[in-house]
Amino acid sequence: MFGKRSEAQALAPAKTESAPKPAPEPAPAAVSAPRPSSRGQEPSEEYYETKATIFNALFETIDVSALAGMQPDKAREEIRTIVDEIIAIRNVRLSVAESNQLITEICDDILGYGPLEPLLARDDIADIMVNGAKHVFIETGGKMQKTNIRFRDNTQLMNICQRIVSQVGRRVDEASPICDARLLDGSRVNVIAPPLSIDGPALTIRKFKKDKLTLADLVNFKSISPAGAKVLQIIGACQCNIVISGGTGSGKTTLLNCLTGFIHPDERIITCEDAAELQLQQPHVVRLETRPPNLEGKGKVTMADLVKNCLRMRPERIIVGEVRGPEAFDLLQAMNTGHDGSMGTLHANSPREALSRLESMITMGGFSLPARTIREMIVGSVDVVVQATRLRDGSRRITHITEVIGMEGDVIVTQDLLKYEMDGEDADGNIIGEHKSTGIARPAFWDRARYFNLEKDLAQALDEAGG
């Protein structure tokens, strides 16, 4: 057993320790620890009190810094040994199942992400939202629901938040209470801590599936029709400049991941993200990530800085995880200067709103350009806008595949290749609809598809989409 002892004592066999052990506390009368609740029910307050008592006693015994240097399995075994001794000394009656559950939770508290561990292990959860120590919500199947998981207190929650962000070299505290980070598997993390978050730290995790989704999966989920998926595949393969638009949780990043799957393996790709979460499979990928300022307020690297630097790195495609500021200007410049096939996502509710948002972001970035000049830049840079939408039943659909054609006067002209039309809902409240072609047989990027010898496939896909 290793606790707060010297290295020599830690390595010596337990029976030969020369240092006298402190007298154990008088054993209280045997008590039965309240049983953890059955699945789906809230554990009792007595259970949390018993767990807190054992946890505090464990913390006084072990050396946490030494635990951090051990292999996870060995560290868990060490914790198990000490907890068993504490349970025996305090005469707490636990069944084998109860003891295993308690030890697992304590190990997760010390070595992992505490109460979040079982949620992170589930692949059916899309989002985890922690609103202070006692309120944990998840999104699964497009629906929000409250869980029976809770933290011991806000201090434990804050410690886990700090553990998460420190893994990617970031920090969260009173001096820097807002932080974007990621888990080791690429899941997106946002933390906002007191004093900005009044009722305790607020932690939001956007989980990614362990198995990367493909366009075929989106077809199975009815997010897009088979013909529409074929059109998207051709758009991604023939180096069209793409903007993916959608609201929060509509599946923009997932769709971006799917479209990157059709990039040729020989192309050099550079990604720019606030928190690296894209999962590109090509061999020639350079991943860049923004950086917040340090304690002195220096060293900040913005998305615009990364996109500008990309142009000096001989990219063939530039992919921006999310366009939300002045980097929109630099991305459009890149798209219009030989970096065909570049992609980015942004928040908007329709393709036309997406183009308006691009214009607004460039204006807010301090570029004193006439509105017509900005719109001409957008028209010359963006080929296709793909709109992703989360419907009211929780399902996610690709609702528009829209081309940017040109300008008439001061107005940007677009045309829809494919639209999702809702026909109603079934008895369970699920929306019924289908993707329909708008009848455009020869899209504006036809010549580009012909350059890549894909015009026949494009014509066939559009014909199938039209029924």
Side-chain angles (χ1 to χ4, degrees):
M1 180 182 71
F2 99 92
K4 295 182 178 178
R5 301 172 288 176
S6 68
E7 184 177 355
Q9 289 174 318
L11 295 174
K15 293 184 179 180
T16 60
E17 289 183 356
S18 56
K21 294 184 178 180
E25 298 178 7
V31 295
S32 297
R35 294 176 178 268
S37 66
S38 60
R39 190 173 183 179
Q41 296 178 341
E42 178 73 20
S44 65
E45 289 295 330
E46 290 80 9
Y47 172 75
Y48 286 112
E49 290 173 4
T50 300
K51 177 183 171 183
T53 300
I54 295 175
F55 183 85
N56 292 334
L58 173 68
F59 226 76
E60 294 173 359
T61 306
I62 64 171
D63 184 351
V64 178
S65 60
L67 270 179
M70 299 178 65
Q71 293 292 330
D73 291 343
K74 188 175 180 181
R76 285 180 179 268
E77 189 59 37
E78 189 67 35
I79 292 173
R80 175 180 292 273
T81 301
I82 301 174
V83 170
D84 283 340
E85 291 186 3
I86 293 173
I87 290 174
I89 291 173
R90 294 181 178 268
N91 206 19
V92 178
R93 292 176 180 172
L94 292 171
S95 69
V96 174
E98 293 165 350
S99 177
N100 288 338
Q101 177 175 341
L102 188 64
I103 291 171
T104 297
E105 292 180 1
I106 290 176
C107 287
D108 290 341
D109 288 347
I110 297 176
L111 303 174
Y113 301 130
L116 297 178
E117 287 284 348
L119 300 181
L120 292 171
R122 288 176 54 182
D123 205 32
D124 62 324
I125 294 177
D127 290 271
I128 302 172
M129 294 144 284
V130 183
N131 308 336
K134 297 185 179 181
H135 303 284
V136 180
F137 295 82
I138 61 172
E139 181 195 316
T140 177
K143 301 293 185 180
M144 199 88 67
Q145 63 185 61
K146 187 175 182 180
T147 70
N148 62 1
I149 288 177
R150 52 180 273 187
F151 293 79
R152 187 171 58 255
D153 49 35
N154 283 329
T155 301
Q156 182 197 16
L157 173 56
M158 191 65 189
N159 288 338
I160 289 174
C161 292
Q162 290 170 337
R163 187 178 304 162
I164 291 173
V165 303
S166 65
Q167 291 178 335
V168 291
R170 303 193 176 184
R171 63 187 179 86
V172 59
D173 49 37
E174 287 190 5
S176 179
I178 299 178
C179 182
D180 287 314
R182 56 183 165 80
L183 299 179
L184 297 179
D185 65 357
S187 296
R188 184 190 314 168
V189 177
N190 175 267
V191 180
I192 181 165
L196 302 186
S197 179
I198 297 173
D199 299 321
L203 171 66
T204 308
I205 301 176
R206 171 68 53 81
K207 286 185 73 235
F208 278 166
K209 290 183 177 293
K210 296 177 182 178
D211 298 325
K212 180 186 171 188
L213 292 178
T214 63
L215 273 180
D217 295 317
L218 299 189
V219 172
N220 292 334
F221 298 151
K222 298 183 179 179
S223 295
I224 187 68
S225 65
K230 186 66 175 178
V231 173
L232 288 177
Q233 178 181 343
I234 294 170
I235 289 172
C238 69
Q239 297 185 352
C240 290
N241 293 323
I242 304 170
V243 170
I244 298 174
S245 165
T248 300
S250 60
K252 298 185 300 297
T253 304
T254 298
L255 180 55
L256 181 59
N257 261 323
C258 292
L259 292 181
T260 60
F262 303 104
I263 298 176
H264 195 277
D266 291 341
E267 295 186 57
R268 175 174 168 85
I269 308 165
I270 300 179
T271 68
C272 304
E273 302 173 81
D274 283 319
E277 53 188 342
L278 292 174
Q279 302 168 314
L280 274 67
Q281 306 300 313
Q282 287 76 9
H284 200 165
V285 178
V286 180
R287 304 169 72 206
L288 306 180
E289 189 175 57
T290 60
R291 185 177 70 183
N294 58 21
L295 288 172
E296 291 77 29
K298 300 179 180 179
K300 182 177 181 179
V301 179
T302 66
M303 184 70 77
D305 295 330
L306 294 184
V307 176
K308 288 177 183 176
N309 193 74
C310 280
L311 302 178
R312 306 183 184 98
M313 298 175 65
R314 207 247 174 230
E316 290 182 296
R317 297 207 196 201
I318 297 174
I319 298 177
V320 180
E322 184 171 339
V323 182
R324 63 179 72 179
E327 66 272 8
F329 178 82
D330 300 292
L331 178 60
L332 292 181
Q333 289 280 70
M335 287 178 169
N336 205 15
T337 54
H339 304 94
D340 294 333
S342 295
M343 306 179 190
T345 71
L346 57 78
H347 283 82
N349 294 322
S350 70
R352 183 156 293 279
E353 284 186 28
L355 300 178
S356 297
R357 275 216 71 203
L358 279 175
E359 183 179 346
S360 300
M361 286 186 284
I362 293 172
T363 304
M364 290 187 295
F367 300 98
S368 55
L369 298 172
R372 181 177 176 84
T373 301
I374 296 175
R375 291 169 188 167
E376 287 176 347
M377 182 185 302
I378 292 172
V379 169
S381 303
V382 179
D383 296 315
V384 177
V385 179
V386 182
Q387 181 70 34
T389 303
R390 179 179 172 183
L391 304 180
R392 56 185 169 82
D393 64 349
S395 62
R396 294 168 174 85
R397 298 285 187 270
I398 297 170
T399 56
H400 295 78
I401 300 177
T402 302
E403 283 190 294
V404 180
I405 301 299
M407 292 187 65
E408 288 185 2
D410 290 336
V411 179
I412 297 177
V413 178
T414 63
Q415 68 178 11
D416 296 327
L417 297 181
L418 200 70
K419 290 180 66 176
Y420 179 76
E421 296 184 1
M422 292 186 290
D423 299 326
E425 61 180 51
D426 61 18
D428 297 325
N430 299 316
I431 291 177
I432 302 173
E434 62 178 326
H435 294 86
K436 295 181 180 179
S437 170
T438 57
I440 304 296
R442 194 180 180 93
F445 64 90
W446 179 271
D447 290 337
R448 185 185 292 271
R450 185 171 60 183
Y451 176 76
F452 287 91
N453 199 30
L454 294 171
E455 76 278 10
K456 292 182 180 179
D457 294 334
L458 179 59
Q460 180 181 356
L462 291 173
D463 184 58
E464 293 174 356

